[in-house]
Amino acid sequence: MSLTSIMNIANSGLQTAQTQLRIVSDNVSNVNTPGYVRKIGDQVTQLNQGLGAGVEVARIRLATDRFLQAASLNASSEAGRQGVRYELYDRIQSLFGDPGGDSSFFAQIDDLFSAFAGASEDPVSSPRRQEALFRVQAMFDESIRISGQIQAAREDADGRIQSAVEKANGLLQQIESLNVEIARATVVNGDASGAETAQAALVAQLSELMDVRISQRSVGGVSIRTGAGVLLAGDGHATLEYNRAGTVTSETSFNEIWVTEPRGQKRPLLDSLTSGEIKGLVELRDVDAPQAAERLAELMTNVADQLNRAHNANTSVPAPSVLNGRNVGQSLESALADFTGTTNIAVVNSAGVIQSRAEIIFSTGGMTINGVSATPATFLTVLNAQLPGATASFANGVLKIETGTTDGLSIADSATNPSDKAGRGFSHYFGLNDLIVTDRPALYDIGLTPASPHGFTAGETVSFRFTGETGAKLRDITVAAPAGGTINHLLTALNNPTTGVGRFGSFALDPATGVLKFTASGSPAPQLSVLEDRTTQVPSGVSMTEMFGIGGGVRASRADGFSLRSDIRAAPSKMALAQLNLSAATGTAALSAGDGRGALLLADAGQKTAKFLAAGGSSGGAISVSRYASELAGDIGGKATVAKNRAEGAAALFSEAHSRQVAHEGVNLNEELVLMTTYQQAFNASARLIQAARDMYDTLLGMV
């Protein structure tokens, strides 16, 4: 071996040791730098014609482990998903207050019925009446507040989705820029470890927003795809697009989140996501919060309905001169069809003495009023003739009866054969003496049949949107009202597989309640929502979705529409706490100001069995208002607990995965000290070899 070869070998050892010491120095100086990944210099032997010719650092790489990295990224995505779901759902839970506390929303419901029990003890007491009405209004005001805050949480989630999308775009752009830098360094065998460390930190931030899969490129850098394989970076970077909805209500339809891959293919992002903050925000916005809103609305609807059931069986003293019903969403003929039983409408003077009375006996195909035959079409004419001193009219879906004098009106069902349609008496069905009013249709179990007229003009349209399990849009479908005028014709049009929704499920009318239900087909079943409704029912003026409660958003919107009747709120004496005595002798009072039987009915309303519709994941069924409120409290608390446990579990898993990754990739000072000592000794050895070669060279020169 020549002295030149010895010098070259020693020089390569010096340079390699210097490079390794520089790597160790970088590692030690960054021991406390968050996200720093330890560098490793891959040292190899140089060969010349099969003989050793020294050493070199072939490349400087990061001490990464792809399995630990994948585990950490997956855990980070799931922690982001579950963390944001719990954060916002806990915010929703707090709106209801502590279920066991005296000031919670559910405690207010119990206080409401207790206040009516107090009023029954002293029906003429104005303070007791005012207390009961205050409790009623306070509860519905609170439901409006909670409903609004639930929608505010959805709006917050929607805004954060847009922020997350914008952040993801910025991260993808930076990651791709570093890919270019790393590739350039790789080509010239340069040190790209700094860029790779910065890129790894950016990838970790991206994994918090969405689940990603990482693969190394042969030219250096990384390729990033979603869990479903959509390319995000590695051959150019993808672009995400989303426009937030702005003001969010229960009926808001949200825009699609799009991802355009580097080569230009555009597709829904949600089809590709299984975890990450974006996924969690979408689930809270589209699933968790709407379910809470729907169940709140169903509870408030039945609280109002049960209070109205009791109030319609009562009358105030003196009796009101006007009974103004609610919009029943159909024609009078359709509303009167299928009634059974007997009801009585009486005109009473200021002393409570009956002046005239109409006994209405409903039977199959018609009815009699004071023994005079009538049909739904002649009902108003016959009633007005048989009830002197009062006038009944029907307009815009509302039945109205008035005296036009100081005389009042009172309605009472037969004790042995009460009137009934869809579980409601005559006065209750038409809302003639409601205590709680609403600005929109709230009851969908109104007893419609396939033969009932639907009342919509042919050609009017309603647009539906179907979304998949991930929340991505499947298809928008617009259905036109049919030329045929019955509910059966409407069902045929809705369920048409070509022009209707038949490919995604079917609508059907519940024979027991008259509720229109949609049953999705397939597994997983698609979700239906309403995009736009241009229909108007004649004569009520309500839309198809309002009339039937199509879509969870329409049903959830009911929660913020209830209020105490304005005239009763202004004058508590108009609250109906007495009951009409149909057996009172001629000339004697049928009403008594001290009668508190009606207040007892109101107090017991919370314990009466009500028919709850399916809402927010609950199947509904026959249950009391108080029991449903208790179950809702438990459901809200239970879901919050589950969300908390999932968030904590996901965070713990991420912490463990990240700790193991850091343990493998991070800097260990003891190890670096050993390496530093080793490379210092290698440097000294190479230097001594050079010195030995120099001494040999000097000796040879001296021999010449």
Side-chain angles (χ1 to χ4, degrees):
M1 179 179 290
S2 66
L3 289 177
T4 301
S5 297
I6 294 173
M7 291 290 289
N8 288 337
I9 290 172
N11 187 56
S12 70
L14 282 176
Q15 292 178 350
T16 299
Q18 285 180 324
T19 300
Q20 294 285 23
L21 286 171
R22 188 179 70 250
I23 292 172
V24 171
S25 177
D26 284 347
N27 288 340
V28 172
S29 62
N30 285 282
V31 65
N32 293 319
T33 301
Y36 180 79
V37 181
R38 175 169 50 92
K39 297 179 183 179
I40 296 176
D42 289 336
Q43 186 171 314
V44 297
T45 301
Q46 292 180 325
L47 297 175
N48 184 9
Q49 296 182 351
L51 300 177
V55 294
E56 67 175 344
V57 175
R59 64 167 180 160
I60 300 174
R61 62 181 176 85
L62 301 181
T64 56
D65 183 291
R66 62 191 183 96
F67 298 107
L68 290 175
Q69 183 189 47
S72 181
L73 293 177
N74 290 339
S76 174
S77 295
E78 187 62 16
R81 173 193 176 193
Q82 300 299 345
V84 75
R85 286 185 73 179
Y86 170 62
E87 175 194 343
L88 291 176
Y89 200 83
D90 185 56
R91 173 175 157 187
I92 291 174
Q93 178 196 219
S94 66
L95 297 173
F96 292 91
D98 181 4
D102 294 334
S103 60
S104 72
F105 171 72
F106 302 105
Q108 290 187 36
I109 296 178
D110 294 333
D111 292 343
L112 178 154
F113 295 117
S114 296
F116 282 116
S120 68
E121 297 175 2
D122 189 2
V124 297
S125 171
S126 180
R128 288 184 180 272
R129 286 171 175 260
Q130 289 176 337
E131 171 69 11
L133 295 179
F134 170 79
R135 297 286 185 185
V136 171
Q137 190 60 56
M139 185 200 64
F140 284 107
D141 286 345
E142 185 68 0
S143 75
I144 292 172
R145 183 191 70 84
I146 293 174
S147 177
Q149 288 300 309
I150 290 175
Q151 301 311 318
R154 297 180 71 210
E155 184 175 332
D156 184 18
D158 191 50
R160 290 172 65 173
I161 290 172
Q162 182 167 6
S163 297
V165 165
E166 292 171 354
K167 182 179 179 181
N169 281 330
L171 291 171
L172 289 172
Q173 186 175 5
Q174 294 177 69
I175 289 169
E176 189 59 29
S177 297
L178 289 171
N179 268 340
V180 175
E181 185 177 333
I182 293 168
R184 288 173 180 170
T186 302
V187 169
V188 298
N189 200 28
D191 182 4
S193 59
E196 289 174 337
T197 299
Q199 189 179 66
L202 295 173
V203 171
Q205 293 182 51
L206 182 65
S207 71
E208 296 175 6
L209 303 177
M210 61 182 73
D211 55 305
V212 293
R213 302 289 182 270
I214 309 300
S215 60
Q216 299 296 321
R217 302 193 309 170
S218 59
V219 296
V222 297
S223 290
I224 304 178
R225 295 180 180 272
T226 65
V230 175
L231 182 63
L232 297 176
D235 185 18
H237 65 86
T239 301
L240 278 59
E241 302 173 34
Y242 182 67
N243 293 317
R244 60 181 300 178
T247 301
V248 173
T249 68
S250 60
E251 299 178 58
T252 298
S253 294
F254 297 98
N255 297 311
E256 189 73 77
I257 306 175
W258 296 101
V259 55
T260 303
E261 293 185 271
R263 295 179 181 176
Q265 185 174 1
K266 188 174 183 179
R267 62 180 70 186
L269 177 66
L270 293 178
D271 280 343
S272 308
L273 297 187
T274 58
S275 60
E277 184 177 316
I278 293 176
K279 178 71 172 179
L281 289 168
V282 169
E283 289 175 328
L284 185 283
R285 184 197 68 183
D286 296 348
V287 180
D288 299 334
Q291 285 184 348
E294 286 179 39
R295 293 209 62 183
L296 173 64
E298 185 64 16
L299 173 60
M300 289 298 96
T301 298
N302 279 275
V303 170
D305 192 44
Q306 292 306 309
L307 289 175
N308 286 337
R309 180 188 301 277
H311 203 259
N312 275 280
N314 305 336
T315 186
S316 60
V317 182
S321 60
V322 178
L323 294 176
N324 204 10
R326 61 174 176 82
N327 192 334
V328 293
Q330 54 191 307
S331 66
L332 179 61
E333 291 80 0
S334 177
L336 288 171
D338 301 316
F339 252 106
T340 60
T342 302
T343 192
N344 296 268
I345 306 175
V347 176
V348 298
N349 62 18
S350 57
V353 178
I354 296 177
Q355 305 299 297
S356 62
R357 172 178 165 185
E359 182 185 50
I360 307 172
I361 301 176
F362 296 99
S363 59
T364 303
M367 68 199 78
T368 61
I369 304 176
N370 289 343
V372 178
S373 295
T375 65
T378 62
F379 173 79
L380 291 178
T381 302
V382 177
L383 176 61
N384 288 333
Q386 294 298 315
L387 189 63
T391 302
S393 60
F394 186 86
N396 301 321
V398 176
L399 178 63
K400 181 178 181 180
I401 308 174
E402 55 188 331
T403 63
T405 65
T406 57
D407 289 341
L409 292 161
S410 181
I411 300 179
D413 279 342
S414 166
T416 57
N417 185 29
S419 61
D420 178 79
K421 180 177 180 179
R424 297 180 178 86
F426 178 81
S427 181
H428 183 202
Y429 187 91
F430 286 98
L432 292 170
N433 194 23
D434 281 350
L435 176 65
I436 309 301
V437 295
T438 181
D439 58 359
R440 70 205 67 176
L443 302 173
Y444 309 123
D445 53 339
I446 55 178
L448 291 173
T449 67
S452 300
H454 60 68
F456 300 106
T457 303
E460 292 181 335
T461 60
V462 56
S463 298
F464 302 104
R465 169 166 291 177
F466 289 92
T467 54
E469 185 182 24
T470 63
K473 182 181 74 173
L474 298 177
R475 186 163 184 178
D476 293 341
I477 297 176
T478 298
V479 182
T486 67
I487 297 294
N488 211 26
H489 290 107
L490 181 62
L491 290 173
T492 300
L494 288 171
N495 294 331
N496 189 294
T498 304
T499 59
V501 304
R503 284 166 291 179
F504 295 95
S506 61
F507 285 96
L509 203 66
D510 188 323
T513 62
V515 175
L516 188 67
K517 295 182 178 180
F518 176 75
T519 303
S521 58
S523 181
Q527 297 295 315
L528 174 146
S529 60
V530 179
L531 280 180
E532 185 181 39
D533 191 343
R534 294 180 175 271
T535 62
T536 302
Q537 204 267 357
V538 179
S540 66
V542 301
S543 67
M544 187 185 301
T545 53
E546 288 176 326
M547 179 177 176
F548 295 112
I550 301 175
V554 173
R555 297 193 175 195
S557 69
R558 297 175 294 171
D560 56 6
F562 295 106
S563 63
L564 190 64
R565 209 172 79 194
S566 59
D567 61 323
I568 294 178
R569 184 169 60 246
S573 61
K574 293 184 178 180
M575 184 167 59
L577 300 183
Q579 293 184 339
L580 182 67
N581 182 9
L582 294 173
S583 62
T586 303
T588 62
L591 294 175
S592 171
D595 185 2
R597 291 175 297 167
L600 287 175
L601 284 180
L602 289 164
D604 291 340
Q607 303 302 322
K608 298 294 184 182
T609 300
K611 294 180 181 178
F612 284 85
L613 304 181
S618 168
S619 59
I623 189 175
S624 71
V625 166
S626 296
R627 179 65 181 274
Y628 190 90
S630 297
E631 291 187 358
L632 176 57
D635 181 63
I636 295 291
K639 286 184 176 179
T641 300
V642 169
K644 180 180 180 181
N645 292 338
R646 286 177 176 172
E648 291 178 345
L653 182 61
F654 169 65
S655 178
E656 178 65 20
H658 183 66
S659 296
R660 294 194 180 192
Q661 183 184 17
V662 169
H664 179 80
E665 298 178 352
V667 177
N668 185 305
L669 288 178
N670 292 330
E671 292 180 359
E672 298 301 321
L673 180 60
V674 171
L675 290 174
M676 181 178 291
T677 302
T678 300
Y679 296 132
Q680 284 176 339
Q681 292 175 346
F683 183 88
N684 291 335
S686 297
R688 291 179 65 182
L689 184 60
I690 292 175
Q691 183 62 44
R694 179 182 176 182
D695 291 344
M696 291 176 64
Y697 185 73
D698 289 343
T699 300
L700 289 173
L701 286 177
M703 293 172 62
V704 173

